[in-house]
Amino acid sequence: MTATKTTLGVLAAGAALTLTATACGSGDTAASEDGLTPVSVGVLPITAVAPLYLGVEQGFFSERGLDVTIETGGGGATTVPRVVSGELDFAFGNLASLIIAREQGLPLTVVANGMTTTGDADTDYSALVVPADSDVTDPADLDGATVAIDNLNNIGDTSVRNSVRVAGGDPTDLDFIELAFPDMPGALDNGQVDAAWVVEPFLTVALQQGATQIAGNFVDLHPELSIATYFTSDELIAQDPDTVDAFTEAMNESLAYAEDNPEETTQILTAYTEIDPDLFDQLRWPRFPARIDTEAVQTLAELMAADGIIDADPDLETLIR
Amino acid sequence: MTATLQRPQPGRFAPRRPVLSRSAPNRPLLGSLGIIGLLALWEIAPRLGAVPERYFPPVSEVLTTLAQRATTAPFWEAIGHTLYGWALGLAIALAAAILIGFALGATPRLRAFTTSTVDFLRPIPSVALIPLAVLMYGTDIRSTLLLVVYACFWLIYIQVLYGVADVDPVAEQTARSYGLGRLARIRYVVWPTTLPYLMTGLRLAAAVGLILSITAQLIIGSPGIGAQITNAQQGGAVALVYAWIVATGILGVVINIGVRALERRVLRWHTSVRGEVAV
């Protein structure tokens, strides 16, 4: 009997030991010492989130009572569940992912714009490119080609198919493969793919190595397309609408500031990215308007429905707050 | 204690040093020659164009980048985060494995009762727990700990079970007949038998723990070396990516040397370390 008792005691102690490391919940929204409400924002360390860093630095968030913690971990695959679970308050994600998430019934709502295409293929920060020695000069020639995108069934394949269609080609035989953006210039270089959809800074890297741009896939989709946005959970909106309002206002001011101060926007990159400073001058940027063009969102959703990524007639009424 | 000498060498799973390594005095020399050869190959291959220099910079460039970074505070912060997650995770796994291993190992019925459960849980790769870790703790250090503890625990726990089961019945009976109590038998009979197994488990877990500590940071984005690698990748800073990878390798070597030194110290009485006793 004693033996069993000791064993149980030891077991309990062991379990307790492993559990202490896992206890203490998250998502506490109590005000910090200086009276600010702590909010966490999940982003990727990419150029497109420069306005957020700039806004925090300029004090646009603290002026509105928010103490922002920026967490640069993982992409949409981890930020979406973290926002749903309330472990992150806000996150940056592409619009297509959010349309899909809503379609699946996830309670997420867009609260601010993230970035918008420039509407000009020659300056947009995203493009469809082919290797230096390629005979392809037009998206219509891509019939049957292997195209690298960063995520299947998302904004990449939808916009590339659209660009092929716009150019008069047939996108049905396109062979999409998933590659991380950092790996795309290399894959183009050694001929692993016939074309790639790349965004900055890898667009500049690819172009410097002789890759040729054949389309601006976001521009082709809609000249006012919001590509990524900041979103939150419906639960936070219901519980603490003031904090969400404050975030939206601060984010809008940050976007406007970034548009007005391109120099500072470029400089803030050194604070959170490892982009080679030599590339800074050549990097292409998106635009940062505060407004989200609903007609463009509708166009994107219709294309996604046509591709079968979401059901037809998605409900976009409640997507944007 | 004659019984101890007669039983088969404990630590079938413990490191058995090959005869060569003990008799070859030039082991450090051979080791450094190997590294120099590797570095030379790494320097030449990109320069000759065997691999594109743009995506695989020569070692001189990588080491320069590493040296520059090593003078900055964020570099050591990242190393510190990684080591902290590794050490804490390993310590928790070690403590839990010793406690549970000794308890269950000493109770055959309980051990039989749990074997199938252990065999079911053990092969689950730690990285499969990443979605769970992310949901529960986000990018917190606790995410890293969950992965490290889970992977390391089984490695040590299984070794402890083997060790406890390897106790020589004659020694055990002798200790009993000399009137040694339960705790004394654990201290003087079970513990010395188990220690070589335990150290093997610890050595394996030390390496695996480092790998998982960095994997968690790479995929989840918890602060540390892994997150720095992701950041460098996202910025297209290729040389920096490799600089961090080299730093990881160096860290691995340092940890391995440390654990081996600890092993030699803890097991200096043991035949596998003493060496001169032929078994």
Side-chain angles (χ1 to χ4, degrees):
Chain A
M1 275 310 276
T2 35
T4 335
K5 249 186 209 162
T6 345
T7 319
L8 284 177
V10 168
L11 264 176
L17 204 69
T18 13
L19 283 178
T20 36
T22 58
C24 351
S26 53
D28 43 310
T29 42
S32 57
E33 279 166 26
D34 43 8
L36 298 177
T37 309
V39 294
S40 51
V41 188
V43 301
L44 276 171
I46 55 175
T47 53
V49 296
L52 173 64
Y53 280 90
L54 206 51
V56 171
E57 193 194 60
Q58 292 293 321
F60 300 152
F61 291 88
S62 52
E63 278 166 17
R64 292 174 176 83
L66 301 181
D67 177 19
V68 174
T69 309
I70 302 177
E71 294 193 16
T72 56
T78 60
T79 48
V80 165
R82 287 174 65 201
V83 171
V84 172
S85 72
E87 198 267 319
L88 267 182
D89 298 318
F90 300 92
F92 177 87
N94 84 59
L95 202 48
S97 296
L98 290 169
I99 293 175
I100 295 169
R102 275 216 82 103
E103 189 76 9
Q104 291 170 347
L106 293 179
L108 297 173
T109 299
V110 170
V111 294
N113 190 27
M115 57 162 162
T116 300
T117 172
T118 60
D120 171 12
D122 295 333
T123 61
D124 201 32
Y125 105 124
S126 149
L128 189 58
V129 298
V130 292
D133 53 2
S134 176
D135 334 317
V136 177
T137 53
D138 187 281
D141 304 335
L142 283 177
D143 194 17
T146 305
V147 183
I149 56 173
D150 87 317
N151 226 326
L152 289 174
N153 295 326
N154 208 295
I155 202 160
D157 37 9
T158 297
S159 63
V160 170
R161 278 198 201 98
N162 177 65
S163 286
V164 172
R165 242 181 259 127
V166 166
D170 175 14
T172 45
D173 281 340
L174 285 183
D175 185 15
F176 289 106
I177 60 162
E178 278 191 31
L179 273 184
F181 287 122
D183 299 329
M184 288 186 188
L188 279 170
D189 222 23
N190 62 24
Q192 280 169 0
V193 293
D194 302 317
W197 161 51
V198 266
V199 298
E200 290 291 20
F202 303 102
L203 175 55
T204 296
V205 171
L207 292 175
Q208 277 179 351
Q209 274 155 75
T212 316
Q213 174 174 340
I214 57 169
N217 51 330
F218 288 159
V219 181
D220 286 346
L221 208 157
H222 196 288
E224 293 291 330
L225 178 70
S226 281
I227 303 135
T229 57
Y230 292 88
F231 60 96
T232 188
S233 66
D234 293 355
E235 199 185 334
L236 187 66
I237 294 176
Q239 267 174 12
D240 194 353
D242 294 347
T243 295
V244 178
D245 285 341
F247 180 84
T248 303
E249 281 169 31
M251 203 56 238
N252 288 346
E253 188 174 359
S254 306
L255 293 166
Y257 189 86
E259 285 259 272
D260 294 342
N261 300 278
E263 192 79 0
E264 284 181 54
T265 310
T266 309
Q267 272 316 306
I268 196 89
L269 292 184
T270 52
Y272 70 96
T273 72
E274 293 288 359
I275 298 171
D276 183 354
D278 294 346
L279 286 177
F280 282 3
D281 299 337
Q282 279 126 61
L283 286 181
R284 298 179 181 187
W285 287 84
R287 281 186 305 133
F288 299 117
R291 199 180 78 89
I292 297 172
D293 188 304
T294 45
E295 190 200 316
V297 179
Q298 187 65 44
T299 309
L300 171 65
E302 279 164 13
L303 284 171
M304 288 167 70
D307 281 346
I309 295 173
I310 54 168
D311 287 340
D313 303 324
D315 173 28
L316 298 177
E317 291 294 301
T318 54
L319 177 68
I320 301 159
R321 187 164 185 251
Chain B
M1 283 321 276
T2 40
T4 335
L5 287 175
Q6 283 163 4
R7 70 188 154 86
Q9 181 182 345
R12 267 166 293 149
F13 299 90
R16 224 186 275 164
R17 282 153 200 294
V19 182
L20 176 74
S21 68
R22 213 183 294 141
S23 57
N26 277 338
R27 208 163 156 239
L29 181 76
L30 285 174
S32 24
L33 272 181
I35 289 180
I36 290 168
L38 178 72
L39 293 183
L41 191 69
W42 184 353
E43 182 68 27
I44 294 166
R47 294 218 181 272
L48 291 182
V51 285
E53 198 171 333
R54 171 99 211 183
Y55 309 113
F56 191 67
V59 68
S60 51
E61 194 185 328
V62 171
L63 291 181
T64 314
T65 310
L66 180 61
Q68 280 165 357
R69 289 287 160 153
T71 60
T72 64
F75 177 88
W76 295 104
E77 266 168 39
I79 302 254
H81 279 302
T82 298
L83 279 179
Y84 181 62
W86 167 81
L88 193 57
L90 193 62
I92 294 173
L94 181 69
I98 291 178
L99 286 173
I100 303 176
F102 267 78
L104 262 63
T107 325
R109 205 174 289 174
L110 207 53
R111 187 184 166 179
F113 184 66
T114 52
T115 303
S116 53
T117 314
V118 170
D119 286 342
F120 171 74
L121 291 174
R122 194 158 60 113
I124 298 175
S126 218
V127 283
L129 301 178
I130 285 178
L132 183 72
V134 168
L135 267 185
M136 291 203 301
Y137 313 122
T139 59
D140 215 271
I141 177 141
R142 287 170 294 171
S143 290
T144 311
L145 282 180
L146 180 73
L147 303 196
V148 174
V149 171
Y150 190 85
C152 294
F153 172 77
W154 300 118
L155 287 172
I156 307 175
Y157 175 68
I158 296 293
Q159 289 292 329
V160 170
L161 282 189
Y162 276 127
V164 173
D166 195 38
V167 169
D168 180 23
V170 176
E172 168 80 12
Q173 291 302 323
T174 311
R176 259 179 214 274
S177 64
Y178 274 90
L180 266 66
R182 187 178 176 79
L183 280 179
R185 287 204 306 279
I186 288 182
R187 169 69 188 85
Y188 295 108
V189 183
V190 183
W191 179 253
T193 310
T194 310
L195 200 55
Y197 289 91
L198 182 66
M199 289 312 295
T200 303
L202 183 66
R203 190 158 43 78
L204 295 172
V208 169
L210 180 67
I211 292 169
L212 282 163
S213 175
I214 291 170
T215 306
Q217 295 155 3
L218 256 177
I219 300 178
I220 304 173
S222 5
I225 295 177
Q228 295 295 328
I229 292 177
T230 310
N231 201 6
Q233 269 174 343
Q234 294 288 347
V238 182
L240 185 60
V241 172
Y242 285 103
W244 277 112
I245 291 173
V246 169
T248 309
I250 294 173
L251 205 58
V253 170
V254 170
I255 283 176
N256 198 31
I257 290 175
V259 178
R260 277 182 186 279
L262 178 75
E263 190 175 31
R264 267 197 302 278
R265 209 180 142 72
V266 172
L267 296 179
R268 60 177 180 275
W269 50 272
H270 192 266
T271 46
S272 69
V273 172
R274 263 162 64 211
E276 72 270 24
V277 177
V279 183

